[in-house]
Amino acid sequence: MSHADNPAGGAPRLARRQVIQLIAAAAAAPVFWSSARAQGSSVKGPKGTPTDPDLINPAQAWELKLTEAEREQLKVLCDLIIPADERSPAASAIGAQDFIDEWVSAPYPAMAGDLEKVRKGLAWLETEAGSRFGAAFGSLEEGQQHAICDDICHPPAAKPEHVETAWFFDRVRMLTAMAFYTTREGMADIQYVGNVPLPKWDPPPDAALRHVGLI
Amino acid sequence: MNTAAPSKSRDDYDVIVVGSGAAGGMTAFVLAVHGVKVLMLEAGRDYDPVTETPMFQLPSEAPLRGVSTPDKPFGFFDATVDGGWTVPGEPYASADGVDFMWWRSRMLGGRTNHWGRISLRMGPYDYKPYSRDGLGFDWPMTYEDMAPWYDRTEALIGVFGSNEGLENTPNSSPGVLQPPPAPRVHELLTQKACHKQLDIPVIPSHLAILTERQDHERLPQQLFPGNALAQRVLRDSMRERAACFWATPCGRGCSIKANFQSTTVLLPPALATGNLDIRTDAMAREVTLDAKGHANGVHYVDKRTGQDEHVSAKLVVLAASACETARIMLNSKSTLFPEGVGNSSGLVGKYLMDTVGASVGGRIPALENMPPHNQDGASGMHLYMPWWGYQQQVKGELDFARGYHIEFGGGRGMPGAWTFAGLGGRTNGAYGQRFKEEARKDYGTGMYFAGRGEMIPNEDCYCEIDPSGAVDEWGIPTLKFHWKWSEHELNQCRHMQHTFRDIITAMGGEVTSEIHDDGAKAIAAPGEIIHEVGGAIMGADPGKSVVDQYCRSHEVPNLFVTDGACFVSNADKNPTLSIMAIAWRAAEHMVEEMNKGAFS
């Protein structure tokens, strides 16, 4: 799912959903099936349509809409939300900005409005950085970046003029966490130790039982 | 899977089975091992869990981190393909003010590929609910009639659990159940709170998952004494199944065949008999009759060509899922049956039921900073709460007549996309290093409690052929749904909400979702729990039911309905296990009748 190989800017990036729709249209055309029908055989495996995607080799299925500049800005913000420490890397290292691009560009109702929200929020950050510190947000000192983020990190506590941007920050924080903790690196950070086959299933260790007062 | 391509010329089937899920798979399997020539029609595509199941993939490998979308409503890696609440080209309608949700899985094996594997027996009360409280209907058979078929079904598919001897929560016979896995920490903590403070029983769940390999020598002999063919194919099929390796979500399906899917447990041995042919992409339209009013075949649309096809057989079994079966019957109009085949009673499509569902979430601070250990387990819950209020209901202490069980979960399973979605708000805006530390502390503290309750059948819940004349992509008339909950269901939901709040509170936790005193605000939409049953209910009286206790139409002697459509009530026990037990019993009855020359 990494978009690391995508060309930087320039030509529109892959619109695989459209490609899939073309394949589906071809599949519906009689000529496509004539040979299979002649042999009287069933078609095996996924059709590669949105409702029957290849689950083993998932494909990115829609055009990504953020600009390269917006993705660079997002990277800075994602790393402010989840920075590197001794236990795990920063959010950008696992491609949080790519995930957010995928999310805001998705064709589903649940994501509707997020593209505009992210665009407006990123633009606000630039304006705010410029007016407060006279530089682009990404080139500010970390303390300056924190000074701005502290104003918008909690919508219920934000000043009226910051509320809208606070919801933008909250959404980016949620998406960054979604991106990060669903990767091997993020799972290691919170010490998820499953998803490995075990020869047998054991009761919880004593340390865990003791932790909750069960022994 | 390796389905045989039926030869074009072969048209000498004994039985056509419409559907390949729990009911169709079981019916076809039992018939095939008894030497009956079966043709199965499946509306969806061929599907092979062995090669198509994403087992160890992380959410980060899926589009949108695997979240639910209208195209993949249970998430990207869910086993369901070409299915969900909406299926392209296959619309349905609801009456004004009704939002019925009709889940279809257009794939070989149907919904068994992704189901929760919860396998609870209906009990003695559940087969005679009318006799007990005067509501709904009694089944024509008793629990005692059904007990041996539950034993057989559980032994065949592999169900873990324990025998607790609780009221209306039947024991299995010795040697039938597989050993249940040890509970996880949050489950033990819940059990302690429920036992000590609330007097709610918390016992091992019953899931159709192998905790050890099946005894492939003993079981086939016990299940099919004297039937060499059945024993051979079952022995081979059981040998192919591995025990659970305590990883990967069951909802994705199981490539090692440790859990039950029709496509891994029923269809492979059925095909191995050489007595079953499967046609996929075959959307059944109607049952056809001969001049005597007996079923003689099925019209279906070959989805690959769009052509209408007809196949004939001596006997027809509908197992297309409750609503789809009702639809086929209603669409099978003839001079003899102008309102649909076997529908002189006017009851086809009537008395639809779903499960009553409501849930509450909470956070349990005691689980914070849990020492790391593997909590994946058998994917689903290791413990559950069977209904405990039978005696309260007898005494008239509750304002609803039927019970519910509690399904619950939490702990340090594989993080999903939404695991930390609310963490920013909960931490008053944490970001940066503090966010990471809060996530470490918070992980595994979230829990949910979901009630699954019995709905009483009523006359306002039914489906009919849409009077507007709407048809689907294949030209087949579509369904319109009608629905009305009674006070019993709504009051039950309020009770669920309060009970779940009490459990979370007893655990020292904090409720994180709204508690509704109005059950109507808490209840899941009709169809949403995906336990729809009824629509061709069984009974002894042909004027008051559609089929008899062996799923046989009262009016068309060679037409059977072995899926959830024949359900007379919808106990809180998830229906799949009962569907299979009823289908097995019906299929054996068909074989007995065939051996007597009934359908020749």
Side-chain angles (χ1 to χ4, degrees), chain A residues 37 41 44 47 51-52 81 83 85 88 102 108 146 150 173 178-179 182 189-190 192 195 198 201 211, chain B residues 1 45-46 56 60 63-65 71 82 182 245 304-305 368 376 412 417 430-433 436 440 443:
Chain A
R37 195 160 72 237
S41 60
K44 308 260 184 199
K47 293 192 288 291
T51 57
D52 185 12
I81 291 167
D85 65 3
S88 65
E102 179 195 355
Y108 299 111
H146 277 267
D150 286 343
R173 174 171 47 207
M178 282 174 116
T182 50
D189 179 289
I190 52 175
Y192 168 68
N195 204 37
L198 302 175
W201 177 251
H211 186 74
Chain B
M1 61 190 323
R45 74 162 169 91
D46 197 356
F56 289 96
S60 55
L64 299 171
R65 265 29 183 192
D71 291 327
D82 284 335
F245 55 31
R304 294 167 298 162
T305 64
E368 287 175 359
D376 283 359
R412 299 167 63 97
Y431 72 95
Q433 189 59 34
K436 287 181 107 165
R440 290 164 194 161
Y443 173 48

Side-chain angles (χ1 to χ4, degrees), chain B residues 305-554:
Chain B
T305 64
Q307 297 297 307
D308 200 45
E309 305 280 352
H310 184 264
V311 282
S312 47
K314 296 176 189 136
L315 194 151
V316 172
V317 177
L318 297 179
S321 83
C323 301
E324 191 68 41
T325 286
R327 180 187 178 199
I328 294 168
M329 294 181 78
L330 292 168
N331 274 329
S332 303
K333 294 185 201 299
S334 60
T335 333
L336 197 58
F337 296 108
E339 301 304 320
V341 67
N343 190 25
S344 298
S345 65
L347 291 176
V348 173
K350 302 291 165 58
Y351 300 117
L352 279 187
M353 295 160 268
D354 189 21
T355 288
V356 181
S359 57
V360 170
R363 306 207 78 80
I364 313 297
L367 295 170
E368 287 175 359
N369 299 315
M370 175 67 62
H373 62 284
N374 188 328
Q375 298 189 1
D376 283 359
S379 175
M381 60 193 183
H382 292 190
L383 299 177
Y384 86 113
M385 298 77 154
W387 176 237
W388 62 95
Y390 295 109
Q391 289 312 311
Q392 276 182 285
Q393 284 169 325
V394 167
K395 291 178 200 150
E397 292 171 1
L398 299 178
D399 59 1
F400 54 98
R402 305 283 171 78
Y404 62 90
H405 70 262
I406 307 174
E407 302 174 3
F408 70 106
R412 299 167 63 97
M414 187 194 279
W418 300 105
T419 300
F420 299 108
L423 188 61
R426 285 202 296 280
T427 55
N428 295 324
Y431 72 95
Q433 189 59 34
R434 184 162 86 85
F435 187 85
K436 287 181 107 165
E437 281 155 17
E438 292 283 1
R440 290 164 194 161
K441 186 173 94 175
D442 184 79
Y443 173 48
T445 61
M447 289 193 70
Y448 74 89
F449 296 85
R452 293 289 178 262
E454 176 166 358
M455 171 193 174
I456 299 164
N458 71 64
E459 297 190 347
D460 295 315
C461 297
Y462 64 97
C463 62
E464 61 177 344
I465 298 300
D466 193 337
S468 77
V471 296
D472 68 10
E473 185 182 349
W474 320 104
I476 305 172
T478 56
L479 289 177
K480 181 173 183 177
F481 293 93
H482 301 258
W483 204 270
K484 198 175 168 191
W485 299 112
S486 78
E487 288 301 307
H488 290 288
E489 288 85 41
L490 301 179
N491 293 344
Q492 188 190 60
C493 270
R494 180 175 53 225
H495 193 274
M496 289 178 184
Q497 295 271 295
H498 293 172
T499 302
F500 304 159
R501 177 194 59 202
D502 293 346
I503 294 173
I504 292 167
T505 306
M507 295 174 75
E510 168 205 1
V511 172
T512 52
S513 57
E514 196 178 344
I515 299 294
H516 297 284
D517 290 326
D518 178 0
K521 290 186 177 150
I523 197 165
E528 191 175 359
I529 308 299
I530 324 182
H531 290 170
E532 67 278 5
V533 295
I537 65 169
M538 64 165 60
D541 181 348
K544 293 181 178 169
S545 57
V546 178
V547 298
D548 70 12
Q549 64 168 308
Y550 298 106
C551 305
R552 182 178 188 164
S553 164
H554 289 306

Side-chain angles (χ1 to χ4, degrees), chain B residues 2 6 20 92 120 125 160 165 231 254 271 300 302 332 363 423 443 536 546 562 581-582:
Chain B
N2 192 21
S20 64
Y92 57 92
L120 306 175
Y125 300 169
F160 74 69
Q231 291 178 17
C254 191
L271 285 166
Y300 70 91
D302 184 336
S332 303
R363 306 207 78 80
L423 188 61
Y443 173 48
V546 178
T562 61
I582 289 166

Side-chain angles (χ1 to χ4, degrees), chain B residues 87-318:
Chain B
V87 175
E90 298 188 30
Y92 57 92
S94 290
D96 287 346
V98 171
D99 186 19
F100 188 84
M101 299 171 74
W102 187 20
W103 183 284
R104 277 87 28 99
S105 290
R106 298 304 193 205
M107 61 195 299
L108 193 66
R111 291 179 282 185
T112 67
N113 292 306
H114 91 137
W115 70 307
R117 275 80 186 179
I118 298 169
S119 302
L120 306 175
R121 291 185 181 206
M122 289 168 57
Y125 300 169
D126 301 322
Y127 280 93
K128 301 295 171 189
Y130 174 80
S131 296
R132 195 159 174 274
D133 59 24
L135 299 167
F137 312 101
D138 284 345
W139 291 66
M141 67 282 222
T142 63
Y143 171 71
E144 287 66 34
D145 293 329
M146 289 305 301
W149 303 97
Y150 281 114
D151 278 345
R152 276 168 222 182
T153 303
E154 288 168 348
L156 173 72
I157 69 173
V159 174
F160 74 69
S162 66
N163 291 323
E164 304 287 329
L166 296 178
E167 187 174 16
N168 198 37
T169 304
N171 289 347
S172 302
S173 291
V176 168
L177 293 176
Q178 297 217 331
R184 308 168 177 99
V185 174
H186 61 276
E187 293 171 322
L188 291 168
L189 198 63
T190 306
Q191 185 180 49
K192 181 181 168 191
C194 285
H195 285 182
K196 281 204 168 167
Q197 297 174 58
L198 301 166
D199 213 15
I200 295 173
V202 184
I203 63 173
S205 60
H206 289 227
L207 303 185
I209 298 167
L210 302 184
T211 52
E212 53 188 32
R213 299 201 62 180
Q214 284 175 301
D215 186 338
H216 61 262
E217 295 297 339
R218 174 179 67 92
L219 289 174
Q221 288 179 35
Q222 278 182 1
L223 292 171
F224 295 97
N227 183 335
L229 173 66
Q231 291 178 17
R232 174 172 63 77
V233 297
L234 206 47
R235 198 162 47 232
D236 291 348
S237 152
M238 285 181 170
R239 254 194 216 131
E240 294 258 312
R241 299 185 66 190
C244 183
F245 55 31
W246 315 108
T248 80
C250 285
R252 299 180 179 190
C254 191
S255 69
I256 63 167
K257 306 186 178 185
N259 66 31
F260 170 79
Q261 293 170 253
S262 176
T263 36
T264 53
V265 177
L266 297 175
L267 298 182
L271 285 166
T273 64
N275 294 325
L276 171 65
D277 288 339
I278 300 175
R279 274 183 213 175
T280 51
D281 303 296
M283 178 85 178
R285 172 200 295 269
E286 64 177 287
V287 177
T288 56
L289 302 180
D290 64 15
K292 288 188 293 184
H294 293 184
N296 64 3
V298 174
H299 264 303
Y300 70 91
V301 178
D302 184 336
K303 286 181 166 179
R304 294 167 298 162
T305 64
Q307 297 297 307
D308 200 45
E309 305 280 352
H310 184 264
V311 282
S312 47
K314 296 176 189 136
L315 194 151
V316 172
V317 177
L318 297 179

